[in-house]
Amino acid sequence: MDNDTLNKIRNNPLIYHYLRENSYEYKELYRNKDYIKEIEKKAKIKYKETIPDKIEQIGEKINLLESFMSIIK
């Protein structure tokens, strides 16, 4: 594995934690350094960091605030 790939792993906590939990992904990463993009996609899906997940989280927070506002009234 080259230094550039190692730096990407170490500087991105999302990828780093994903690889710590799913170490079998290193096998493919050693074969193909471009596989890091696929690992990043998988990590975003696992940790719910995709755009639809973030929008859903914002919606849930808004609903929670609306609930608090209705209780206060």
Side-chain angles (χ1 to χ4, degrees), residues 50-61:
T50 60
I51 292 173
D53 290 329
K54 289 182 179 182
I55 291 172
E56 184 179 328
Q57 291 172 357
I58 290 171
E60 290 173 0
K61 290 178 183 178

Side-chain angles (χ1 to χ4, degrees), residues 4-21:
D4 187 41
T5 305
L6 287 173
N7 285 334
K8 285 180 185 177
I9 293 170
R10 290 182 183 140
N11 292 330
N12 189 335
L14 195 66
I15 294 174
Y16 182 75
H17 291 296
Y18 180 80
L19 286 172
R20 297 265 318 206
E21 293 177 6

Side-chain angles (χ1 to χ4, degrees), residues 15 18-19 25 28-29 32-45:
I15 294 174
Y18 180 80
L19 286 172
E25 296 281 1
E28 187 64 33
L29 194 56
N32 180 7
K33 69 176 184 176
D34 294 330
Y35 191 67
I36 192 84
K37 295 174 187 172
E38 185 67 29
I39 290 175
E40 186 173 14
K41 288 178 188 175
K42 289 180 179 182
K44 283 183 179 183
I45 291 170

